[in-house]
Amino acid sequence: MARLLLLQNDANVGEHLRRVIEAMPGMEVSTLSATLPNGLRILRSAPPDLVLLDLQVRRADLEVFLAELCNQPRETRALLLVGALSLDDPILMEAIARGADGYYMHGGSPETLREAIVKVLAGESPMAPSIARHAKVRFEAPVWSGARVGSKTRGALRLSEAQLRLLERIGEGYLVHEVARELLTTEHEVGLSIRTLYRKLQLDRRAASMEARAS
């Protein structure tokens, strides 16, 4: 049974999402909260398997929550699925760069939410064309100068030829099964590769933060 912590700014929407999630086999909403400070207390006392986080919350609370969750060891921390109003929302890209494992769109169908949850729990991540294009720009012109970033980190941030092609094709609007066919792999492996690209974006952001502190 996967335990979910649901952090939703709107109580009515939260109750709707709870019903949708608990209708899924093997899913349990352990807590529904409308405030991130309360969510942090739950995260510390009874860590869930997955956090569903509404990005339409007070920015200061959001930054504190993301910092605490995403600074925990990757092997033991809860997975993070964020809810956004638009794929072009800069807060969504920032949440991915800070550690989000996936996203869902507010107002989407119950099936799309279910699919997002199942994929994230399976180790996969989604990537829309706009996010792929943004990520490609970030990798082509990283926000850190590299002067104080070690060779190991620089190497970890380099994209393989397959990763670059994946970003290019998704950015051009290719669907996951089309990308999988071109790369001679499976849709599941493409989802896993997208999660790896998110990790690289997160490493890029940490490298930028280290660079800023050192300057």
Side-chain angles (χ1 to χ4, degrees):
M1 180 73 72
R3 296 174 62 254
L4 282 69
L5 167 59
L6 179 54
L7 301 174
Q8 173 61 50
N9 200 36
D10 185 303
N12 292 328
V13 174
E15 286 296 342
H16 168 70
L17 292 177
R18 183 208 287 269
R19 290 192 295 273
V20 169
I21 294 166
E22 292 192 334
M24 298 174 61
M27 302 292 168
E28 172 194 9
V29 176
S30 57
T31 308
L32 167 60
S33 175
T35 69
L36 294 193
N38 185 49
L40 273 178
R41 286 192 291 273
I42 295 158
L43 192 67
R44 293 164 184 159
S45 60
D49 299 302
L50 174 65
V51 176
L52 267 72
L53 171 62
D54 178 11
L55 292 179
Q56 310 308 306
V57 294
R58 201 167 72 94
R59 186 62 185 264
D61 289 343
L62 179 63
E63 290 181 356
V64 170
F65 186 89
L66 289 173
E68 173 145 348
L69 175 63
C70 299
N71 284 337
Q72 294 176 359
R74 173 68 57 190
E75 300 75 21
T76 56
R77 78 160 175 84
L79 295 167
L80 177 61
L81 189 64
V82 294
L85 291 174
S86 165
L87 288 169
D88 297 318
D89 188 341
I91 298 178
L92 172 57
M93 195 64 208
E94 181 65 16
I96 290 172
R98 282 177 174 265
D101 301 288
Y103 56 85
Y104 65 95
M105 293 293 105
H106 288 304
S109 69
E111 186 50 45
T112 29
L113 177 60
R114 291 188 192 103
E115 182 179 347
I117 291 172
V118 168
K119 285 194 171 185
V120 165
L121 288 172
E124 302 177 41
S125 292
M127 182 176 278
S130 58
I131 293 175
R133 291 191 292 269
H134 188 102
K136 187 169 181 289
V137 169
R138 286 278 290 267
F139 285 121
E140 288 174 341
V143 292
W144 48 274
S145 69
R148 298 180 181 86
V149 175
S151 59
K152 183 177 180 181
T153 298
R154 288 197 297 271
L157 284 169
R158 288 194 195 97
L159 297 187
S160 68
E161 182 180 342
Q163 289 170 333
L164 181 58
R165 284 170 61 196
L166 187 154
L167 276 181
E168 289 173 344
R169 293 299 178 265
I170 293 180
E172 291 165 358
Y174 284 67
L175 300 177
V176 169
H177 73 272
E178 296 171 321
V179 176
R181 185 168 61 244
E182 178 173 336
L183 297 180
L184 303 178
T185 187
T186 65
E187 292 182 44
H188 176 62
E189 286 298 326
V190 170
L192 295 177
S193 296
I194 292 171
R195 176 77 60 89
T196 299
L197 286 168
Y198 283 178
R199 297 290 174 266
K200 285 179 178 282
L201 281 173
Q202 292 149 21
L203 179 59
D204 174 78
R205 189 184 184 284
R206 288 197 297 273
S209 298
M210 291 166 57
E211 180 75 6
R213 288 196 298 269
S215 61

